[in-house]
Amino acid sequence: MPKLLKAAQAGSVESTDILIMVAPAETGAGIKIELVSPTVQQYGEQIKNVIISTLIAHGIEDATVHANDKGALNFTIEARVTTAISRALS
């Protein structure tokens, strides 16, 4: 299983984008997500599920994620999480 080595981010706070910041967490801590979004009431769980599934797809089981959403679509969220993971692994 890959493990995040450092904190990293991807994305922006521009309209229809999302700023994803990932950081390593202790082994066994799981995935913790802090989400800020104007649509958190309507889409908060969906956004969190996309973030979690993208992390798991890359083999990341322990991470702290801060997400500042500005109306991003699922493929944008996946791309930003993937880029942040890549940066955190190198």
Side-chain angles (χ1 to χ4, degrees):
M1 288 288 153
K3 184 170 178 154
L4 300 177
L5 302 175
K6 61 184 178 183
Q9 69 180 39
S12 71
V13 290
E14 302 278 330
S15 180
T16 68
D17 202 352
I18 186 168
L19 178 63
I20 297 287
M21 293 175 274
V22 297
E26 292 184 26
T27 301
I31 297 170
K32 296 179 182 167
I33 300 174
E34 179 182 332
L35 174 64
V36 177
S37 173
T39 62
V40 71
Q41 295 288 337
Q42 297 93 349
Y43 303 110
E45 287 304 313
Q46 173 67 26
I47 294 167
K48 288 180 181 178
N49 287 337
V50 171
I51 292 169
I52 290 169
S53 65
T54 304
L55 287 164
I56 291 173
H58 287 84
I60 306 297
E61 296 178 344
D62 302 306
T64 301
V65 180
H66 176 81
N68 190 343
D69 174 58
K70 296 296 180 184
L73 298 176
N74 287 355
F75 63 86
T76 302
I77 298 168
E78 291 174 18
R80 300 309 187 205
V81 172
T82 298
T83 300
I85 291 169
S86 175
R87 290 176 178 167
L89 292 175
S90 60

